């Protein structure tokens, strides 16, 4: 017979990770006022049923694993970003993100999003930056789209004040020869140029182009470059599209093109 006084081994990192996820599932289930049965039914509605018994075993630490599929369907059933089931931001000060690697949930959240460099044994900042280049390109694209939409809204507001029809603004040179509305119309063309060049960069790197709102997509097709910025080529094609700080990490993620292996920068 086993010795009742014998201490059980401490659970390993993977078990603690599953238990953390289980604790967050319970927390958010209670926040939503859901029973385990209701949560099980919701997962079934989403097409991947997790029986009530499985949820009970998970929440009571009788189940030591959580699959990626289960993580995603539970997050959807609870209407919670999946990252919060792994990184409980605001609920814990520090978690073991990898074996023997502790950091804050906020840092883990940034690592999962590809926004914050991690700090684990053998970490290569060079390879990490290169691997997240698509994320950087898409993030900047989102900012450029948002900027363009903000300028469009400002033009609409100014046009309404002057009782102008937005569709006729570009040809109304006399009334737009000076003043804030003229400046915003010029800035709109400038914004479109930045989007056009940036999308060219995304395409040249072999990534799929992000979808655009219909109005911006039509504007790109119907207009040519304003010529306000030079069409850069080669290693300079990122220049002068956004402030330098925005492009700093994008430049750092450039693939190595000289045939040499990237330098290994290790941390931890």
């Amino acid at each position: 017979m086993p010795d009742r006084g014998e201490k059980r081994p401490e659970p390993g990192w993977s078990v603690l990770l599953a238990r953390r996820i289980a604790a967050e599932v319970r927390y958010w289930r209670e926040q939503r006022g859901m029973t385990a049965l209701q949560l099980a039914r919701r997962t079934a509605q989403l097409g991947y049923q997790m029986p009530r018994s499985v949820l009970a075993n998970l929440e009571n630490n009788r189940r030591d694993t959580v699959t990626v599929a289960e993580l995603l369907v539970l997050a959807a059933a609870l209407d919670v970003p999946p990252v919060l089931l792994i990184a409980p931001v605001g609920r814990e000060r520090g978690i073991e993100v990898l074996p023997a690697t502790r950091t804050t949930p906020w840092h883990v959240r940034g690592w999962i999003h590809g926004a914050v460099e991690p700090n684990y044994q053998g970490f290569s900042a060079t390879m990490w930056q290169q691997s997240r280049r698509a994320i950087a390109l898409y993030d900047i694209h989102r900012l450029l789209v948002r900027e363009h939409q903000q300028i469009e809204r400002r033009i609409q507001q100014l046009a309404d004040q002057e009782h102008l029809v937005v569709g006729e603004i570009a040809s109304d040179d006399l009334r737009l020869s000076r003043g804030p509305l003229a400046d915003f119309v010029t800035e709109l063309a400038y914004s479109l140029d930045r989007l056009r060049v940036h999308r060219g960069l995304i395409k040249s790197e072999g990534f799929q182009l992000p979808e655009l709102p219909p109005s911006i997509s039509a504007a790109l097709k119907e207009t040519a470059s304003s010529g306000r910025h030079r069409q850069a080529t080669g290693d300079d094609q990122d220049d002068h599209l956004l402030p330098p700080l925005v492009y700093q990490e994008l430049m750092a993620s450039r693939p190595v093109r000289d045939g040499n292996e990237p330098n290994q920068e290790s941390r931890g």
Side-chain angles (χ1 to χ4, degrees), residues 69-254:
E70 290 169 343
L71 173 73
L72 295 177
V73 77
L74 284 169
L78 293 165
D79 290 314
V80 171
V83 67
L84 286 183
L85 298 184
I86 303 173
V89 175
R91 289 186 20 83
E92 293 189 38
R93 291 191 178 276
I95 60 176
E96 194 175 18
V97 60
L98 291 170
T101 303
R102 290 187 64 84
T103 188
T104 65
W106 179 250
H107 198 119
V108 175
R109 176 256 185 201
W111 176 45
I112 293 173
H113 286 189
V116 177
E117 289 188 3
N119 186 13
Y120 49 80
Q121 185 177 9
F123 168 66
S124 168
T126 300
M127 290 194 290
W128 189 82
Q129 284 287 349
Q130 290 180 350
S131 67
R132 69 173 301 276
R133 187 163 174 80
I135 296 176
L137 287 165
Y138 267 56
D139 279 348
I140 292 173
H141 186 275
R142 177 178 56 85
L143 293 174
L144 290 172
V145 169
R146 181 183 297 176
E147 173 197 61
H148 192 84
Q149 291 173 325
Q150 290 173 342
I151 297 172
E152 285 182 323
R153 285 193 291 270
R154 186 57 180 151
I155 288 175
Q156 183 64 64
Q157 292 170 355
L158 292 172
D160 290 344
Q161 293 173 10
E162 297 189 25
H163 306 290
L164 295 171
V165 178
V166 172
E168 299 174 358
I169 288 178
S171 60
D172 198 351
D173 296 332
L174 179 63
R175 298 187 66 179
L176 297 180
S177 59
R178 62 185 62 184
L181 188 52
D183 294 338
F184 275 106
V185 171
T186 300
E187 188 62 28
L188 189 70
Y190 178 26
S191 171
L192 209 58
D193 277 356
R194 288 198 291 267
L195 256 175
R196 180 179 286 110
V197 174
H198 188 70
R199 286 175 69 83
L201 175 60
I202 293 174
K203 186 176 181 180
S204 71
E205 301 228 357
F207 298 121
Q208 295 184 5
L209 289 175
E211 292 187 6
L212 286 169
S215 62
I216 300 181
S217 179
L220 282 174
K221 293 177 182 178
E222 295 169 1
T223 62
S225 172
S226 69
R228 179 171 175 175
H229 286 277
R230 63 185 176 83
Q231 294 294 315
T233 58
D235 289 341
D236 295 328
Q237 64 186 148
D238 293 334
D239 293 350
H240 308 303
L241 298 178
L242 285 176
L245 286 177
V246 178
Y247 266 86
Q248 184 174 356
E249 62 177 338
L250 182 62
M251 305 300 280
S253 67
R254 282 187 180 279

Side-chain angles (χ1 to χ4, degrees), residues 11 25 59 197 258:
V25 169
E59 290 188 7
V197 174
D258 59 4

